[in-house]
Amino acid sequence: MRRLSASHPSGERGFVVLSVRLRSTALVLAALATACSAGKAEKSPSEPVTINVPPPGKEARDLRVPLDAYDLSPTEWETVGAAEDILTGKCMRSQGMKWKQLPRVAETDLEPAQRRRYGVIEPGIARVFGYHLPADRPTLAKRIAAEDSRRENLSRKERYAAYGEDLKGGCLAKARRQLTNGLPATDRDLLSALIGKTFEESQRDPDVLRVFRAWSTCMNRAGARYSSPLKAIEDERWTKIKEPSRQELRIAGADVRCKAKTNLVSVWSEVEERIQKDAIREYPKELKSLKESRLGEVKAARRALEA
């Protein structure tokens, strides 16, 4: 099981903490730089461990914030990632190299964009994983295992062709340029800043502070003392262990029940919606470009997948 991550808005692209690695992240590319490369010996694809992971709950699937409209949704991320993979493969094969396409991820297996925005909110997830990140769902686990296997089996020449000398070029960079060609210039740093700023501001709102106190009182009755849900998810008792303890499962369950009892998620999300809409009105031109870029990239990805 993966270590717990107290993932809340802090400027990541669209706060999509997918865990999916559908695009080659800096971590993956760094691994490429150090992977053994001399031989061409094929390794057997590692099979993901099958465990019974509950699907994302309705509470997480339904959670949205206004700034979501300006970045790719989890489904769109998957679509764009699949198109990049197809285009990268065409580029590789044009150079006489192989490129094994990765399996697609079912929409029901994708991580909801705002799943942990307000801490743990799904009863089924709290019951099994506590505050730890849920394990990957089946098609996502299969995709990650296939990506890992492909990366491990690339020769030095193939890695250079796919990613370039600086790990920012090659066929993957070409694929990304194909999907974004002609789209308006965007300021993603602005979007990241707005995501973080509005989230922080929401925590100082009187209505949110009021519901925090109600939630905290409820948690006290369950034997847990936290001033806010983020304090609970960041507790070092959970972050320093690989598997959730019985105590963690009990407290996480109480956390979810107290959120429901105090209407914490609805109150907090309504406040954040108001704050984000105010922020959106301050940057109409910049955010319009971001939305146009997002829609254009997805449209180009769908064309690539249908070709």
Side-chain angles (χ1 to χ4, degrees):
M1 182 182 295
R2 293 167 294 171
R3 291 290 298 272
L4 177 149
S5 173
S7 54
H8 47 80
S10 59
E12 296 92 345
R13 182 177 181 184
F15 186 44
V16 180
V17 188
L18 291 178
S19 82
V20 291
R21 297 183 292 173
L22 295 182
R23 291 195 175 197
S24 297
T25 63
L27 181 61
V28 171
L29 292 178
L32 284 170
T34 56
C36 56
S37 59
K40 291 283 292 181
E42 291 289 328
K43 296 182 180 180
S44 300
S46 55
E47 291 296 328
V49 177
T50 302
I51 54 179
N52 186 21
V53 183
K58 188 175 186 298
E59 302 86 356
R61 295 196 313 270
D62 291 348
L63 190 57
R64 301 282 190 277
V65 291
L67 284 172
D68 285 345
Y70 304 95
D71 200 7
L72 298 172
S73 70
T75 301
E76 290 169 343
W77 267 106
E78 198 280 336
T79 298
V80 170
E84 286 179 352
D85 196 37
I86 290 285
L87 294 173
T88 300
K90 289 181 179 179
C91 173
M92 292 289 284
R93 286 188 289 275
S94 72
Q95 300 178 58
M97 298 179 214
K98 62 184 179 181
W99 183 260
K100 188 174 182 180
Q101 301 300 150
L102 299 176
R104 297 292 299 273
V105 180
E107 185 172 358
T108 52
D109 286 356
L110 290 169
E111 185 94 355
Q114 308 300 345
R115 186 173 209 168
R116 294 164 72 85
R117 190 177 196 89
Y118 306 132
V120 177
I121 61 175
E122 302 156 89
I125 296 300
R127 184 166 50 251
V128 178
F129 298 100
Y131 290 110
H132 281 67
L133 288 170
D136 296 319
R137 291 274 295 164
T139 61
L140 176 54
K142 184 177 180 180
R143 169 69 177 257
I144 292 173
E147 186 177 15
D148 288 343
S149 176
R150 183 178 69 184
R151 183 178 69 248
E152 291 167 1
N153 285 306
L154 287 176
S155 69
R156 184 185 299 275
K157 182 179 179 181
E158 288 167 338
R159 284 201 306 277
Y160 178 82
Y163 304 109
E165 186 174 2
D166 59 358
L167 303 181
K168 295 180 181 178
C171 286
L172 179 60
K174 180 181 178 181
R176 290 177 176 171
R177 288 194 299 271
Q178 287 178 260
L179 296 181
T180 57
N181 183 45
L183 297 180
T186 59
D187 185 354
R188 295 211 166 271
D189 288 341
L190 172 64
L191 180 60
S192 296
L194 289 177
I195 291 169
K197 178 183 176 183
T198 55
F199 184 72
E200 293 296 330
E201 186 178 343
S202 72
Q203 296 175 66
R204 298 190 293 270
D205 184 89
D207 289 339
V208 172
L209 291 174
R210 191 176 303 114
V211 79
F212 278 4
R213 289 193 292 271
W215 172 87
S216 183
T217 298
C218 178
M219 289 293 284
N220 284 342
R221 297 193 189 104
R225 296 184 177 276
Y226 299 108
S227 58
S228 79
L230 299 185
K231 296 294 184 183
I233 201 172
E234 293 168 352
D235 193 323
E236 288 188 354
R237 289 180 295 174
W238 328 137
T239 61
K240 290 185 175 181
I241 57 177
K242 293 183 178 180
E243 303 285 345
S245 63
R246 290 184 179 180
Q247 182 187 32
E248 178 184 338
L249 296 176
R250 179 181 64 80
I251 292 177
D255 184 345
V256 173
R257 289 191 296 273
C258 286
K259 284 189 176 87
K261 183 176 181 180
T262 60
N263 294 318
L264 184 144
V265 173
S266 61
V267 170
W268 197 350
S269 63
E270 286 173 9
V271 167
E272 198 170 11
E273 179 177 0
R274 169 175 51 79
I275 292 172
Q276 286 199 359
K277 285 182 176 179
D278 287 342
I280 289 168
R281 282 190 285 270
E282 290 185 41
Y283 300 94
K285 183 177 179 181
E286 294 87 347
L287 291 174
K288 180 182 178 182
S289 293
L290 279 164
K291 182 179 284 189
E292 290 176 357
S293 178
R294 174 201 140 220
L295 295 174
E297 188 174 9
V298 173
K299 186 176 180 179
R302 287 172 178 159
R303 285 198 303 265
L305 292 172
E306 291 169 1

